Each structure stands twice: as structure tokens, then as C-alpha cells.
Amino acid sequence: MADKNTNMFYLIFSFTIFGLAHFNLVNTLSANYYDQTCHNAESTITSVVKKAMLNDPTVPAALLRMHFHDCFIRGCDGSVLLNSTGKNKAEKDGPPNISLHAFYVIDNAKKAVEALCPKTVSCADILALAARDAVTLSGGPTWGVPKGRKDGRVSKATETRQLPAPTFNISQLQQSFAQRGLSMDDLVALSGGHTLGFAHCSSFQNRIHNFSSKQSVDPTLESSFAASLKSVCPAKNTAKNAGANLDSSPTTFDNRYYKLLLQGKSIFSSDQSLVTSAKTKALVSKFASSQQEFQKAFVKSMIKMSSISGGQEVRLDCRVVN
């Protein structure tokens, strides 16, 4: 997705070691949180997302990735939405987040919701709902999003340095998720987010050039697929927007990512690592053979991940603390 969606990997695997003590999985969120105070909030947000998608098909992947980035640093508190100030460089300007885009969709949704119910719906909730809509409107499942998140007041670019690389192996990924209270099952299910989007050459260059001292190309890559990646990403690539789709249906939320993974046609080393453990490979196979099983697991893990808490207020402007 050009600069809009590079390293979609980070969509799933963003995490930070900093401040973990402040996070917990909360039960205070509620599916009907706004029923009395802003009952049209969800339909209003959905219409904004739908309109944005019609103008730009990369929006769903961008929103899903943005939500993951938000939740994996300081909890799902909208900290990824805050702008940098003179004294502080915010998360969105950290290296892995430079390619995040579609912040305007959240701004538009916030403006529409504020007109209905001032000072009521948090930016963190708007992002969580928009991410759900992104999946549903791309042909994926729908689910009731627990609501009641508060917006955070701290956003530091330095914390994005803790984002794991797309070169991570299975034990590194497992550790990342465990630090978030997320299991191996969650890891495999949430990796399915790679059914949407695009990655720049830099995020998978390690697999197609100078892979090791003995092999130029990662031997786990299917040969013709590796050749196609090399053709779009030569060793001395200078094309700024060169890269590859994360699966062969990058705007449709389906289980093709898992099918391609079993064929040696994944983009990132971290994707490939999911078939290096018997437990995770069994889940990959299960999801590859059943879209229904994948969607059920994805919904369960999304609800779990999006319930990581953080935040103290309901922002009036998603880019600025109150």
C-alpha cells in the first residue's frame, strides 16, 4: 500500500516493553456503553468509514493497522492519534509509524460524533469501531465491539523503537504477545490481518537478497514467488513505492493469507515463522482450510486485544490532549 501501508507486519506485531505495568485486560468495557448517551455513534462511524473506502481502497488496511499500533503501545488509548508538539515527538512520528495513514477518517468520524453527542465518545473507541468496520466492509466478520475506552495523554515516538521486526522468529513473537496477555492462538489468528494490505521492499528484503552466507534467497520461499519478489524489489531498489501485496486479494478479508503461507508464499520472515512450530502450524492449517474457523478465532482475539486498557479522558480533538 505504498507509504500508506508499509510493513503491515507492524499492524500485528507492534509492542513495547516500556510501561507494561500500566496495562491490563479490563472487564469494564461494555458492548452497550453508548446506548443511552450516543446510540447512533456506531452507525455514524460506519458511514464515515464506508465513504472513505469508496475514495481509497487502502483505507481498511490502514485503519486495522492503526488500531493494532494503538493497542500495542500503552494500550488502546488513542495515543497513536496524537500529533507531535514542540516538546514531544509522538508515536505517529516514530519510524515504524511513519507509513500509517488515514488519520483523517478518524478525524471525520470524531467530528460527526461530536455533532451528535459532544464530549462523549473517545477517540480510542472510534478507532476500535473503525477497525471493526474496516474488516466487515472488506468482506470479513462483524462483532460487537466492547466500548468505554478512555484516551491517553502520553505519546512518545521513542516507545515505537520496541516494535519487533518482520524478521522475528516464533519465540520472539510469542514473547511479544505474552507481554500483552495474548496467547499463541491469538498470535496466529491476529496474523490473519495480513490478508489486507501491502508491504514495502525494505520489510522483506532480507528474504530475497543475501539471506545467508550460503544462500541468497530464503529457501522456504516458493521459487517462482521468490523470483517475482526479486523482480519488483531488485537488490539496489530505488523505487520509493515498490513492494508487494500481503496476499493475492489485498482488499478482501479472507483466509488466503494462510493458504499462501502453507505454499511458501508469505511476505515476511515472521509470517513464515508461524509454520516453524507444530502448535502454530496446526492453527495455520486449520484456518487455511476453514474461513469460518479463522473468522471466529480472529473476532475472539480482536476483542481480547482491543480490551487492553489505558487512557484517562475523552479527547475533544483526537490529535490533541484536552
Side-chain angles (χ1 to χ4, degrees):
M1 219 193 262
D3 260 2
K4 303 173 177 181
N5 199 24
T6 306
N7 296 7
M8 179 96 169
F9 169 89
Y10 287 110
L11 180 148
I12 308 293
F13 300 126
S14 311
F15 82 109
T16 177
I17 293 168
F18 183 89
L20 283 179
H22 300 299
F23 299 149
N24 56 5
L25 290 167
V26 292
N27 296 315
T28 53
L29 301 182
S30 163
N32 56 4
Y33 189 83
Y34 296 114
D35 282 5
Q36 303 303 315
T37 56
C38 198
H39 69 276
N40 287 329
E42 292 203 33
S43 58
T44 301
I45 293 163
T46 301
S47 64
V48 170
V49 173
K50 196 178 287 186
K51 183 180 178 184
M53 279 178 65
L54 290 173
N55 293 323
D56 180 358
T58 70
V59 160
L63 292 174
L64 185 56
R65 181 174 177 230
M66 194 187 297
H67 179 49
F68 276 110
H69 276 236
D70 187 34
C71 293
F72 273 68
I73 295 185
R74 294 188 168 266
C76 312
D77 67 342
S79 55
V80 74
L81 305 171
L82 289 170
N83 282 351
S84 294
T85 61
K87 295 179 180 178
N88 180 65
K89 191 175 181 184
E91 286 173 34
K92 63 165 61 167
D93 293 318
N97 284 348
I98 294 294
S99 58
L100 287 178
H101 80 298
F103 290 104
Y104 71 91
V105 180
I106 304 304
D107 294 334
N108 291 348
K110 177 65 169 172
K111 186 177 178 181
V113 170
E114 282 295 308
L116 287 176
C117 332
K119 306 177 183 179
T120 303
V121 183
S122 68
C123 298
D125 273 349
I126 289 173
L127 179 51
L129 288 162
R132 186 273 313 273
D133 291 341
V135 170
T136 307
L137 294 169
S138 298
T142 191
W143 63 93
V145 175
K147 296 167 287 290
R149 295 165 191 78
K150 292 292 188 281
D151 296 321
R153 295 179 55 83
V154 177
S155 182
K156 297 179 181 295
T158 51
E159 294 179 14
T160 66
R161 291 177 187 164
Q162 302 299 329
L163 301 176
T167 52
F168 264 26
N169 63 35
I170 195 65
S171 60
Q172 290 169 310
L173 294 174
Q174 182 179 9
Q175 184 181 16
S176 302
F177 271 60
Q179 287 174 314
R180 287 289 175 269
L182 299 171
S183 67
M184 292 283 267
D185 289 23
D186 297 320
L187 164 63
V188 180
L190 293 173
S191 293
H194 288 179
T195 181
L196 298 176
F198 175 97
H200 275 121
C201 295
S202 57
S203 60
F204 56 88
Q205 200 85 340
N206 66 301
R207 300 189 76 192
I208 55 173
H209 302 293
N210 304 314
F211 177 72
S212 69
S213 57
K214 295 181 179 178
Q215 292 168 301
S216 171
V217 176
D218 182 345
T220 62
L221 276 172
E222 193 272 331
S223 58
S224 62
F225 182 67
S228 69
L229 293 180
K230 288 184 79 167
S231 69
V232 293
C233 299
K236 291 184 169 57
N237 174 58
T238 55
K240 186 181 175 187
N241 294 329
N245 291 323
L246 292 176
D247 79 3
S248 50
S249 54
T251 59
T252 302
F253 194 92
D254 55 24
N255 65 338
R256 195 168 298 184
Y257 162 80
Y258 298 103
K259 294 178 180 179
L260 294 172
L261 188 47
L262 293 173
Q263 296 168 24
K265 296 177 181 177
S266 61
I267 298 295
F268 303 124
S269 296
S270 53
D271 293 324
Q272 172 60 29
S273 75
L274 298 181
V275 298
T276 61
S277 135
K279 179 177 171 60
T280 53
K281 186 174 183 179
L283 284 168
V284 169
S285 298
K286 180 181 178 182
F287 297 155
S289 60
S290 172
Q291 182 143 299
Q292 188 177 359
E293 288 294 332
F294 160 51
Q295 293 192 351
K296 188 169 72 173
F298 183 82
V299 166
K300 183 181 175 184
S301 295
M302 275 293 283
I303 291 171
K304 187 175 171 184
M305 183 206 72
S306 74
S307 298
I308 302 172
S309 70
Q312 301 82 37
E313 63 186 22
V314 174
R315 249 177 252 152
L316 301 181
D317 177 340
C318 292
R319 294 173 182 257
V320 187
V321 297
N322 290 347

